[in-house]
Amino acid sequence: MLPINEIFETIQGEACKAGTPSVFVRLQACPVRCPWCDTKHTWFVDSERRVSIADMMIKTEDTNTWAMMSPEDVLLAVQAFSARHVVITGGEPALYDLRPLTTLLVGSGFSVQLETSGTQAIQAHPYTWVTVSPKVGMPGRRSVLGETLLRANEIKHPVGKPADIQNLLSLPIEHALKPEIWLQPLSQSRKATELCIREATVRNWRVSIQTQKYIGVR
Ligand code: SF4
């Protein structure tokens, strides 16, 4: 059973899968505590905020309410949409054993992507596309794990200032098997975007623009 904050359909806007119609499944809970987190309402699993699956599915605002769902419940919910790509996000979804859910989704014909901070070991079907957005030195004091970087299909790093590049370089990314590395400017800042372009060009990395924020979707 998994605490689910929301399930909705949109276009994946970031990194390698940008442009892909997707059903986002957002799990509740995250101990990383990034100061600039835009999903702070997912940090805690407050039992008083538990709602029914039906109520969770119809909510239209970011709230800290959540519903407990089995993998079968989630499959039923995502099958109600058109998209055949499922993005499991959070919160920090890798806090949970995602093997039952990802195995069910893959077996039902979905492609599956997992977005994680890299601070937990990945428990997911081997076909799961793992996007690690490493959070270094955050108040939650969680370390980015080498084994999770090794499992990553892509690394998507939020960048606001030069120190963020240094944080990325401090990680053992050279050991990752497929180090497709994306630098993503924070908050569409021009300065951060220029920094990302400069660093990506020098290092042959890539720049991830949060296209969902430019086309006005979630
Ligand atoms: S890891 Fe993600 S959900 Fe958790 S605090 Fe950081 S940005 Fe927010």
Side-chain angles (χ1 to χ4, degrees):
M1 300 293 279
L2 298 165
I4 307 291
N5 179 278
E6 61 178 342
I7 297 178
F8 61 97
E9 187 176 50
T10 185
I11 300 282
Q12 169 62 283
E14 303 176 1
C16 203
K17 303 291 183 189
T20 308
S22 306
V23 182
F24 275 66
V25 177
R26 188 180 304 288
L27 273 70
Q28 193 77 14
C30 182
V32 180
R33 311 278 186 269
C34 307
W36 37 260
C37 176
D38 58 5
T39 54
K40 285 181 176 158
H41 55 284
T42 66
W43 283 7
F44 303 102
V45 185
D46 180 352
S47 58
E48 290 179 4
R49 301 299 288 159
R50 182 174 172 176
V51 296
S52 69
I53 295 173
D55 284 347
M56 183 276 294
M57 290 298 296
I58 59 170
K59 74 178 179 180
T60 53
E61 291 179 354
D62 292 344
T63 68
N64 61 354
T65 55
W66 55 274
M68 193 64 93
M69 297 177 81
S70 67
E72 291 76 17
D73 292 331
V74 176
L75 176 65
L76 265 181
V78 301
Q79 282 174 329
F81 298 100
S82 304
R84 285 297 171 262
H85 182 69
V86 176
V87 181
I88 302 174
T89 189
E92 174 45 87
L95 285 168
Y96 303 98
D97 182 354
L98 297 169
R99 287 170 295 190
L101 175 59
T102 53
T103 300
L104 189 62
L105 290 169
V106 169
S108 302
F110 290 90
S111 55
V112 181
Q113 180 177 5
L114 171 61
E115 296 184 331
T116 174
S117 63
T119 59
Q120 303 290 324
I122 304 299
Q123 303 174 83
H125 187 282
Y127 287 3
T128 305
W129 179 272
V130 176
T131 302
V132 175
S133 188
K135 305 300 190 310
V136 181
M138 294 300 145
R141 296 175 181 272
R142 305 282 164 146
S143 302
V144 175
L145 304 180
E147 67 178 279
T148 302
L149 290 172
L150 264 179
R151 174 64 181 84
N153 296 97
E154 63 181 358
I155 294 170
K156 183 183 68 182
H157 192 58
V159 173
K161 54 189 184 311
D164 296 326
I165 304 286
Q166 293 311 313
N167 282 339
L168 179 59
L169 291 171
S170 73
L171 298 172
I173 50 175
E174 72 276 13
H175 299 311
L177 296 177
K178 298 173 281 294
E180 195 162 288
I181 296 174
W182 298 80
L183 300 180
Q184 183 162 289
L186 274 177
S187 309
Q188 298 84 56
S189 139
R190 174 175 285 273
K191 218 170 163 183
T193 304
E194 287 171 357
L195 175 62
C196 289
I197 292 172
R198 217 165 38 241
E199 291 289 335
T201 303
V202 169
R203 302 175 191 281
N204 266 305
W205 292 348
R206 300 180 181 194
V207 177
S208 170
I209 303 299
Q210 293 177 292
T211 50
Q212 74 275 19
K213 298 195 175 172
Y214 291 92
I215 61 176
V217 299
R218 299 183 69 194

